[in-house]
Amino acid sequence: MAHTPRKIFKVLVANRGEIAVRIIQAAHELNMQAVAIYTDADAGNLACQLADESYRVGENLAYKSYLNIENVLKIAKEAKVDAIHPGYGFLSENAAFAKKVEEAGIIFVGPSSDTIATMGDKAKALEQAKKSQVPTMPSTPVLQDLKQALEQAEQIGYPLLIKAIAGGGGKGIRFVANEKALKEQFNVAIAEATSAFGNGGVYLEKYLENAKHIEVQVLGDGENVIHLYDRECSMQRRRQKVLEEAPSPSLDSQTREALCACALRMAQEVGYKGAGTLEFLYDSKSKGFYFLEMNTRIQVEHAITEMVTGVDLVRQMLRIADGEPLAYKQSDISLRGHSIEVRINAEDPQNNFFPSPGQITKLQCPTGSGIRLDSMLFSGRTIPPFYDSLVAKLIVYDQTRPFALSKLKRALGEFKIEGVKTTIGLFKKLIAHERVQAGDYSIHFLEDYIGGKYGV
């Protein structure tokens, strides 16, 4: 195979926190220069310390800085970068941003703006899933008015979810148990969606009791696509994931193969380029799985897939964006061992998970074989109040799930962060619970647990 001339020598990381650090590290391993962006609150953060150059992107509030497309592009041009990696969150699934990057002659590290526009729109993604013969939850088209919503709800049956077509990250979703609730919530949901996403489109979807949230990682170069198996992400609070594991303890090998084959087929049919994730709801009673949505970016929980497959996903994203063909065939990918990730947030679980910004006065990190820490932390770092409260991801790997849980217990015991409240203590209790030990938990488990349902 002829060698592809290199196109990326310098990459701008359009993000902050632990994912910015992760991308800068991957860029440096590929001998690429990395450019960080920061706000006043983020000046001197770990990403800025590690990057080759750093630029102030705007004021502290995200819409004036990390979400400001013009500011990000202005820096990209000033720094003369060849590529922009958006990470996750912020502008990572913004098709308009990806298009402006492309139009500026800069490489967008991820899928094309057209793919983001299609797969990032839940209604269009559901259409694609049906076309690709991937099972989907019974749902409606985008609704015109309440009258149509009530008619469609009658056909599907309650309970239901009202979903914003432009939603994401657990936002833009409302539960309705019956017709009365639908009448009360419908217009509120539209107003919320318009305010939050600039798009008031909503649809209804059947609601599964005791569902599990399972996703499949894919990686493609625009021509060839592979899957890197599954992750269980059912441990959620307010639809935000807090603990993930790979592979899912809920699937037998036959269901796993069927699920991954469906995800792969869909990614292949859209000619997917970069790293992406297809999310499914799983009913362990019937072993039925249903496509939910696709995330056209790197996920927070990508590390556990890296641990069980040995594939560095962020490095692969950069190499593919640089014009290299996919470095793996499907036959190269196999699962080995088990990996678990917990998201360490600067929050107070004792006070309804209220954010806990402030200065880190002491930091002691766990070490040893099979322990990885993806982090933005250093002693003396001030955690600002303006952004997501995620400060570190503790990832463990071992031969079996019981060993991985045991290692996680040990690592959490060694992990000390002082100066701010964190979720470390919650995880210590959580992983000791018999349901978690058995892998028998649904997307409602954590909220029930916090609410005292299991005697806590």
Side-chain angles (χ1 to χ4, degrees):
M1 191 182 290
H3 177 68
T4 311
R6 188 163 173 187
K7 293 185 277 193
I8 302 177
F9 295 91
K10 196 191 237 188
V11 59
L12 181 138
V13 183
N15 218 297
R16 65 176 298 280
E18 68 84 21
I19 191 61
V21 171
R22 171 80 182 86
I23 296 163
I24 290 164
Q25 290 168 336
H28 283 164
E29 287 167 17
L30 290 169
N31 297 313
M32 295 173 181
Q33 287 197 320
V35 177
I37 56 175
Y38 64 90
T39 58
D40 297 336
D42 272 339
N45 69 5
L46 193 54
C48 291
Q49 291 178 40
L50 297 177
D52 301 281
E53 299 170 35
S54 55
Y55 293 76
R56 182 180 180 274
V57 70
E59 294 175 39
N60 290 331
L61 296 175
Y63 79 93
K64 292 183 174 181
S65 52
Y66 298 110
L67 285 169
N68 188 313
I69 292 174
E70 298 311 317
N71 286 14
V72 173
L73 283 173
K74 188 178 167 207
I75 291 169
K77 288 167 189 170
E78 193 182 329
K80 296 184 171 62
V81 301
D82 310 295
I84 295 178
H85 196 310
Y88 55 70
F90 293 134
L91 295 169
S92 62
E93 291 180 285
N94 186 315
F97 174 61
K99 191 162 185 60
K100 286 195 172 181
V101 172
E102 293 161 359
E103 286 169 354
I106 298 169
I107 294 163
F108 183 80
V109 183
S112 68
S113 56
D114 289 344
T115 302
I116 296 171
T118 301
M119 301 310 288
D121 179 316
K122 289 183 185 176
K124 287 180 185 169
L126 282 166
E127 276 172 35
Q128 182 60 51
K130 287 167 184 166
K131 212 189 320 180
S132 303
Q133 296 182 305
V134 174
T136 57
M137 289 290 284
S139 64
T140 70
V142 178
L143 297 161
Q144 302 305 312
D145 51 37
L146 177 59
K147 181 174 177 286
Q148 188 194 11
L150 291 166
E151 287 166 3
Q152 295 275 348
E154 203 59 45
Q155 288 176 27
I156 297 173
Y158 296 93
L160 292 161
L161 294 173
I162 307 175
K163 287 191 160 187
I165 60 166
K171 297 180 178 72
I173 302 172
R174 281 181 166 255
F175 173 78
V176 287
N178 49 42
E179 186 179 309
K180 180 174 178 283
L182 179 57
K183 285 176 179 173
E184 289 168 355
Q185 302 280 344
F186 185 72
N187 288 326
V188 179
I190 289 174
E192 259 184 8
T194 306
S195 165
F197 313 113
N199 183 337
V202 298
Y203 64 99
L204 299 177
E205 185 178 274
K206 179 75 181 154
Y207 177 75
L208 270 190
E209 307 277 352
N210 297 317
K212 287 172 168 279
H213 185 123
I214 296 174
E215 59 191 30
V216 178
Q217 177 73 54
V218 294
L219 186 67
D221 61 9
E223 289 182 27
N224 300 301
V225 189
I226 58 169
H227 73 75
L228 293 99
Y229 290 97
D230 55 284
R231 299 186 285 255
E232 169 106 27
C233 305
S234 302
M235 194 66 75
Q236 300 179 9
R237 179 181 165 271
R238 293 184 179 166
R239 299 191 177 89
Q240 293 280 357
K241 303 161 190 170
V242 301
L243 175 152
E244 304 97 358
E245 44 186 322
S248 162
S250 311
L251 301 180
D252 57 37
S253 55
Q254 201 175 346
T255 309
R256 171 166 288 114
E257 290 303 325
L259 177 65
C260 292
C262 274
L264 181 60
R265 186 164 65 245
M266 193 164 158
Q268 283 170 332
E269 287 190 13
V270 297
Y272 196 78
K273 183 179 179 181
T277 300
L278 293 98
E279 304 202 341
F280 296 83
L281 279 183
Y282 177 65
D283 180 2
S284 41
K285 280 184 189 163
S286 67
K287 295 190 179 176
F289 53 84
Y290 307 91
F291 173 76
L292 262 184
E293 62 179 321
M294 183 170 190
N295 294 126
T296 55
R297 54 170 166 81
I298 196 74
Q299 295 273 94
V300 178
E301 58 273 20
H302 71 274
I304 51 175
T305 294
E306 294 182 333
M307 301 299 264
V308 296
T309 62
V311 176
D312 185 319
L313 289 164
V314 179
R315 184 191 294 175
Q316 289 307 314
M317 288 181 84
L318 287 166
R319 289 180 67 182
I320 289 163
D322 203 19
E324 290 187 37
L326 192 59
Y328 300 89
K329 298 192 293 290
Q330 191 63 59
S331 56
D332 298 328
I333 308 300
S334 59
L335 283 174
R336 54 170 209 280
H338 198 89
S339 184
I340 307 172
E341 170 183 295
V342 292
R343 301 188 187 191
I344 309 298
N345 291 347
E347 295 172 346
D348 184 2
Q350 303 297 319
N351 184 22
N352 199 28
F353 292 83
F354 201 74
S356 178
Q359 190 176 38
I360 306 290
T361 55
K362 182 182 176 184
L363 180 65
Q364 181 183 306
C365 298
T367 59
S369 169
I371 288 177
R372 167 176 166 178
L373 194 64
D374 283 18
S375 159
M376 61 179 274
L377 297 172
F378 57 88
S379 198
R381 165 75 173 133
T382 297
I383 308 300
F386 308 105
Y387 316 109
D388 188 272
S389 57
L390 177 70
V391 293
K393 301 180 321 201
L394 175 60
I395 302 115
V396 298
Y397 170 82
D398 218 310
Q399 292 168 302
T400 64
R401 187 172 185 270
F403 274 138
L405 281 164
S406 180
K407 184 167 283 181
L408 181 55
K409 179 185 175 186
R410 190 265 290 175
L412 285 165
E414 290 179 9
F415 206 173
K416 303 278 189 293
I417 301 173
E418 292 178 11
V420 297
K421 308 270 190 199
T422 74
T423 48
I424 291 172
L426 171 71
F427 287 121
K428 286 180 184 174
K429 290 186 205 152
L430 202 54
I431 63 166
H433 195 281
E434 59 186 14
R435 294 278 290 272
V436 179
Q437 289 281 326
D440 176 25
Y441 57 90
S442 76
I443 54 175
H444 308 299
F445 173 81
L446 181 56
E447 286 176 344
D448 289 344
Y449 174 88
I450 293 163
K453 184 174 176 179
Y454 300 106
V456 175

